[in-house]
Amino acid sequence: MTSFTVVRLSSVSGLCQGRTPLLIYIRVHRDGSCHAMSLLMITDIRKSSYDSGSDIVTAVFLNGRAHDGGKIRSPDERTFLALESATAQEEIPLIGVHCGDQYIRLRASPGHGLSVGERIILESI
C-alpha cells in the first residue's frame, strides 16, 4: 500500500503575489521508503517545432493551492524530458503562466495522453 503525506516546508516570498506556501508531497511506501513528488497542473501543450512527433508540455507547480478533489494522474515519467524550469518574472499568457508561478516545460513523447487543465504528480524527472 502507498500513502501520500503533505509536508509544509516553509513560506517563501513570491515575486508578484506576496507569500506563497511551499508544500512537498511525499509518497510513503509500505517498506518505509519515501519519495518527494511534485503536484502540477498542465497549462499548455503544443507540437515541438524542433523534434518531430513530440509535444512541449508546460505545467505549473501547484505548491499548496487548493485541490478540488478531482483526479490526479501519475503519468509514466519515462516519456518526459525536462527542458526548462523557472519562476515567471511576468505573465506569459501564451503558455498559461502567471507572474510568480513556478513552471516546468517538458518534451513529451508521442502518445503521452495529457490534456490542458489536468493535474499530474511527478516523482522525478
Side-chain angles (χ1 to χ4, degrees), residues 46-56 83 107:
R46 58 188 64 227
K47 294 289 179 199
S48 173
S49 57
Y50 300 106
D51 189 3
S52 177
S54 294
D55 288 339
I56 303 299
L83 301 174
R107 185 184 75 196

Side-chain angles (χ1 to χ4, degrees), residues 16-102:
C16 309
Q17 302 169 348
R19 298 188 66 78
T20 304
L22 178 60
L23 300 181
I24 299 293
Y25 293 80
I26 306 290
R27 176 179 281 169
V28 181
H29 301 279
R30 178 176 279 179
D31 66 2
S33 65
C34 55
H35 299 91
M37 305 173 70
S38 299
L39 181 62
L40 303 115
M41 185 174 66
I42 306 297
T43 60
D44 184 66
I45 299 174
R46 58 188 64 227
K47 294 289 179 199
S48 173
S49 57
Y50 300 106
D51 189 3
S52 177
S54 294
D55 288 339
I56 303 299
V57 175
T58 303
V60 295
F61 291 84
L62 293 178
N63 287 344
R65 293 185 209 165
H67 174 56
D68 63 7
K71 182 179 176 185
I72 298 175
R73 220 171 121 196
S74 183
D76 181 358
E77 296 174 16
R78 295 174 294 181
T79 64
F80 301 119
L81 173 67
L83 301 174
E84 171 188 23
S85 179
T87 300
Q89 302 289 322
E90 60 188 22
E91 300 285 320
I92 312 172
L94 185 64
I95 58 172
V97 175
H98 301 285
C99 184
D101 281 350
Q102 294 175 322

